Amino acid sequence: MNWNKNLLWNYIGYGISLAINILLLPVVLKFLNNEELGLWYVFMSVGTFVAMVDFGFSPQIARFVTYAYAGADSLKKKGIVSATQIGMNIELLQKLLVVSRRLYFFLSLFVFILLITIGTYYVCSINKMLSLWQVLCSWIFFCIASFVNILYGYYNAFFRGIGDFVSINKAILLSKCVQIFCSFIGLYLGYGLFAVAFSFFLSGIFLRIYLGIALRRFGKENSFPEKKDSFDVGVLSIIWHNSWREGVVMISRYLIIQSNTILCSLYINLIETASYALAVQILTIISSVSLIYFTTNLPKLGTARVTDNVEYKNKLLSKTWFIYIVSYILMLLLLFVVGIPIIEYIKPNVMLENSLLLFVALYMFLEANQSLFVSYISTSNKLPYVFPYLISAASGVVIAIILLEYTDLGIWGIVFAHFVVQLCYNNWKWPYYVFKESKMNMVSIFK
C-alpha cells in the first residue's frame, strides 16, 4: 500500500469534505429557520446515538483486518499473533468479511425498528412549531438512511483495516458532492428540513455503492475465492470479546460529546441547541482534520505492533501527536479570525459567545487528545480504558443534569460538568499510560 498516496488522499478527502461542509453550512443557515436548524441537529445527534448499535464491531474488525493484511496466522481474543507469512492472509480476510456482512444485517434491522418506533415518538414530542407532516417525512428518510449506512458499515472498517484511505476518501468526496447539490436544489425550492434529510439519504447511498464496487475490485485483484466461506462462529466470538468493550467506549464518547445536544433540546430550547450544536460541529471538523495524519498512520502503528518494530512505532507516534497539537491550534485561530465573522455575517447571533466557544474548544481538544492515545493503545488489542470511560461519561451526564435542574448555567453547566470529570482522570491518564509503556517522555516526543 502506497502510504504517501493514502496520506495525500486523506488530506484531499478531508479538505474537500471540509470545503463542501463550509459551502453547505451557509446554505443550511440561510434557508432553515432556527426551529428547523435545531431539529436537524437533533436528528444528527439521534443518528450518532443509534450508530452506536455498531457497538465497537467496526474498530475491532478494522484492527483484525490490519492483522490479517499484515500476515497474521490467526486471531486472538486478547493480544496479537505475530506474522509468520509474507503478504496478506486471504483466507482470514475472507472469513472476516463473511462474518461482518451477516452481523451488520441484523444490526441495521435493529436500528431501523428502534428509530421508526421510539425515535419517531421522541422527534414528534420535541417538535412544537413545525408541520408534523414535514417532520415525519424528513424523519422517515433519515431512518432509511441510517439503516443503509449501518447495513454496509463494514465496508469502511475493511478499507481502514487495510489502510486504503484512497477508496474511502473518494467515496466520501462523491457522497458529499451529491449531498450539497441535492441540499441546495431542495432548499432553494423551499423543501426546508425535508431537503437536508433527503440529501443525507442520497449521500449515504452513493457512499456505499462506491465502496461496494471498490471491495469487489479488491477481491478480484487479490484472487479472493469465488466460493463464499460459511459463517464462522469462532471468528465472531473473537471479535465480540473486545467489541463490547469498544461499544462501551463508543457510548461513553457519545455521552461525553453528543448527549449534550439532546440535553439542550430537553432543558433549554431549539434555538440555543442550534448554537451549541453548530459550535460542536465546527470544532469536530477541526479535531478530525487535526487527527488526519494520525488516523492515516494508525494501520502502520498496528502493523508495527505485529512486526514488533518498537523504535519505528515510537517515532511515528511522536510525530503524529505533534502534528495534531499544532494543527488544532492553527485551525482554532483561523476559526476566530476568519470563520466566526463569516458565519455572523450569514446568520447573526447564531454562534456561541466567544468565551463559551473557547471553553468548548479546550474541552474538545483534550477529548480528541485522549482519543488519539486511546486509539494507539487499542492497536495492542488490549482495552484498559473501557470502564474509566464509562464511569466518567455517566458521571458527567448526571452532574450536567443536576446543574441544568438546579442552576441557571445552561450550556456552561453542561460543558463544565464533562470538562471537570474528564480532567480528573481520562485526560491525563491515557497519555501517561502510553508514555510509560513506550518508555518515552515529553523531551523525547518533541525531539
Side-chain angles (χ1 to χ4, degrees), residues 42-53 107-124 135-136 138-150 200 254 262:
V42 169
F43 275 26
M44 299 305 291
S45 291
V46 171
T48 303
F49 174 76
V50 172
M52 289 188 304
V53 77
L107 290 176
S108 60
L109 194 60
F110 173 73
V111 161
F112 185 76
I113 294 172
L114 190 66
L115 281 178
I116 211 70
T117 53
I118 299 175
T120 301
Y121 172 78
Y122 166 70
V123 168
C124 291
V135 172
L136 284 177
S138 304
W139 178 247
I140 288 171
F141 271 102
F142 186 82
C143 293
I144 298 172
S146 298
F147 170 80
V148 172
N149 288 341
I150 294 177
F200 176 73
Y254 178 87
I262 303 296

Side-chain angles (χ1 to χ4, degrees), residues 319-339:
K319 186 177 180 180
T320 56
W321 187 46
F322 176 76
I323 290 174
Y324 160 70
I325 294 172
V326 173
S327 300
Y328 192 97
I329 293 172
L330 290 177
M331 282 189 286
L332 188 61
L333 288 173
L334 191 64
L335 170 64
F336 276 91
V337 174
V338 179

Side-chain angles (χ1 to χ4, degrees), residues 291-303:
L291 287 168
I292 288 175
Y293 191 81
F294 171 78
T295 304
T296 306
N297 284 284
L298 190 59
K300 293 177 75 173
L301 290 167
T303 300

Side-chain angles (χ1 to χ4, degrees), residues 128-288:
K128 306 299 181 183
M129 302 179 66
L130 302 176
S131 161
L132 182 61
W133 176 249
Q134 177 194 16
V135 172
L136 284 177
C137 288
S138 304
W139 178 247
I140 288 171
F141 271 102
F142 186 82
C143 293
I144 298 172
S146 298
F147 170 80
V148 172
N149 288 341
I150 294 177
L151 178 63
Y152 298 106
Y154 67 92
Y155 285 174
N156 192 286
F158 181 84
F159 284 109
R160 287 188 180 278
I162 65 173
D164 184 3
F165 293 95
V166 175
S167 295
I168 292 174
N169 283 292
K170 284 183 177 179
I172 291 173
L173 173 60
L174 174 63
S175 68
K176 287 293 184 181
C177 288
V178 169
Q179 185 178 10
I180 191 171
F181 176 78
C182 294
S183 294
F184 181 79
I185 297 298
L187 289 169
Y188 182 78
L189 293 176
Y191 289 100
L193 182 63
F194 177 78
V196 290
F198 185 70
S199 301
F200 176 73
F201 161 74
L202 286 180
S203 71
I205 295 293
F206 276 84
L207 177 71
R208 303 308 167 186
I209 289 174
Y210 187 95
L211 289 180
I213 294 172
L215 181 57
R216 285 192 290 273
R217 187 189 309 121
F218 177 86
K220 290 181 180 179
E221 291 174 351
N222 293 280
S223 303
F224 272 38
E226 292 293 331
K227 183 181 177 181
K228 302 294 184 183
D229 287 351
S230 58
F231 185 85
D232 192 323
V233 178
V235 171
L236 177 61
S237 175
I238 293 172
I239 292 173
W240 172 248
H241 178 75
N242 271 340
S243 289
W244 74 265
R245 293 172 173 84
E246 291 278 12
V248 170
V249 174
M250 289 175 65
I251 292 173
S252 302
R253 284 175 173 163
Y254 178 87
L255 294 175
I256 291 167
I257 301 293
Q258 295 295 333
S259 68
N260 294 345
T261 302
I262 303 296
L263 290 176
C264 283
S265 68
L266 293 173
Y267 283 91
I268 307 176
N269 56 61
L270 285 179
I271 295 176
E272 289 189 59
T273 298
S275 296
Y276 174 76
L278 176 60
V280 170
Q281 180 187 17
I282 294 171
L283 292 169
T284 299
I285 292 171
I286 290 176
S287 298
S288 299

